[in-house]
Every structure is written in C-alpha cells, then in structure tokens.
Amino acid sequence: QVQLVETGGGLVQGGGSLRLSCAASGGNFYNYAFGWFRQAPGKEREFVGAVGRRADVSLVEDSVKGRFFISKDDAKSTVYLQMNNLRPEDTAVYYCAADRTGPWNIPRLQHEYDYWGQGTQVTVSS
C-alpha cells in the first residue's frame, strides 16, 4: 500500500510560481510512475502530467507546457510539480497519483493509477 501526501499548495497571484511536492511511502518508489491531476470547481479531474520510473521520461499536457515541469528525487521518494507563470484558470485541487508500471510507461488516464493523495488546493488570483 502506497501513501501519497501532497504539499505546497496555496494562494498566489497570477504570474507567480508554486512548487507542489508529493511524498510517497509504503512502497518501492522505483517501481512507480507518478502523475499529477487537477480538478477545478465544477469540472472533471484532468491530467496535468506525469513522470515515469525513469526521471528522464516525463510529459505534461499542452495546456501547461512551458509553464509546468515535473521532476522527482528518488532519494527522497518525492515527486515535484513546478508551476510557473500561474494563471487564474490553473486554480484547482491538485492530486498526485502512483501507478506500478513498466520502466518506459507514462500513464495518462485516471483509471491506470492505483494510489491517490488527498489533494492540495492551488488558488491563483487575477
């Protein structure tokens, strides 16, 4: 059983930056790909990006490309979502998820992920 805890959310002005962290425990960190999802008020949860078991295998959605970056620190069993140039439309609850998968796979669909964090609120003011 993998536990995921997201931190780093908060209120930020448009154009600002935040870095979300997702600390994983209870499993072998190296066996999992990690994804970030977000859910805005009144909307469905959507995929933001993910990093595979290899740190150099990652992707982000076009809507955040060039502004959001995903990385991980294997030694700390932690995944990061660096968010720059934030916009009001980025306001959402951000979730981290883990999927035990192959070394080259980057899951994009929610049902592929086995474990989820509780989420952290990000609010971007205009």
Side-chain angles (χ1 to χ4, degrees):
Q1 187 79 5
V2 174
Q3 292 82 42
L4 302 172
V5 178
E6 303 100 330
T7 56
L11 173 64
V12 64
Q13 280 193 326
S17 298
L18 283 174
R19 188 178 78 161
L20 305 184
S21 299
C22 172
S25 62
N28 188 336
F29 188 79
Y30 302 98
N31 289 338
Y32 292 85
F34 294 88
W36 285 98
F37 293 79
R38 67 185 181 184
Q39 187 167 19
K43 296 186 177 181
E44 293 186 354
R45 189 158 57 184
E46 64 178 4
F47 177 74
V48 174
V51 59
R53 288 173 56 181
R54 292 171 56 100
D56 58 349
V57 178
S58 66
L59 62 85
V60 294
E61 280 292 271
D62 287 345
S63 59
V64 302
K65 193 169 291 183
R67 300 189 298 123
F68 289 15
F69 303 90
I70 295 177
S71 62
K72 65 175 186 172
D73 186 332
D74 289 339
K76 296 182 178 180
S77 297
T78 300
V79 181
Y80 303 99
L81 178 65
Q82 177 67 44
M83 306 185 294
N84 301 324
N85 192 19
L86 282 160
R87 305 167 181 170
E89 54 263 39
D90 295 318
T91 294
V93 177
Y94 284 72
Y95 297 90
C96 174
D99 174 37
R100 186 182 175 101
T101 187
W104 297 100
N105 191 34
I106 307 179
R108 301 173 64 112
L109 303 177
Q110 295 184 52
H111 69 79
E112 297 182 273
Y113 286 88
D114 304 307
Y115 304 100
W116 291 82
Q118 82 289 349
T120 185
Q121 176 71 47
V122 172
T123 303
V124 184
S125 63
S126 56

